[in-house]
Amino acid sequence: MYKHASTQITPIIGMMAGKDPECMLSSLHAKLLVNTQGKVIDVYFRTYMPFVLQERLCEEFLKMEGFQPAVYNGQTVCAMFPYVIRCMSWQE
């Protein structure tokens, strides 16, 4: 997730912040809902942000791959995974 945050998510936030200063976030807290095949199927944001940024980040999270589905009693199940970027620093 660290690699994804640094190569995919942070650049989107930086690009959007260049257009609208309200899109500049210092941290990001989201929950990813992953289905039984290991695919992200929904994103819940816990960080306030403009809708346009939320929409763009959601698109990126839905493309995310590489999750192993959760297993409960030998069966694969949907699960929520936290996605947290605690500290983003921006330079002008």
Side-chain angles (χ1 to χ4, degrees), residues 22-82:
E22 286 196 28
C23 290
M24 190 171 293
L25 304 178
S26 58
S27 64
L28 174 67
H29 296 264
K31 289 186 176 184
L32 310 179
L33 179 59
V34 177
N35 69 8
T36 57
Q37 287 78 41
K39 179 162 176 41
V40 177
I41 58 172
D42 207 351
V43 182
Y44 302 93
F45 292 99
R46 300 185 67 199
T47 301
Y48 170 78
M49 67 190 78
F51 181 74
V52 66
L53 177 58
Q54 184 174 332
E55 194 172 47
R56 180 65 185 94
L57 290 176
C58 188
E59 288 174 11
E60 186 59 43
F61 281 124
L62 292 175
K63 292 187 230 172
M64 206 172 165
E65 296 179 348
F67 279 97
Q68 295 243 347
V71 177
Y72 180 75
N73 287 337
Q75 299 285 338
T76 56
V77 294
C78 292
M80 290 283 240
F81 289 88

Side-chain angles (χ1 to χ4, degrees), residues 3-13 57 60 63 83:
K3 182 179 177 185
H4 185 263
S6 62
T7 62
Q8 304 298 107
I9 300 301
T10 305
I12 291 170
I13 295 169
L57 290 176
E60 186 59 43
K63 292 187 230 172
Y83 191 102

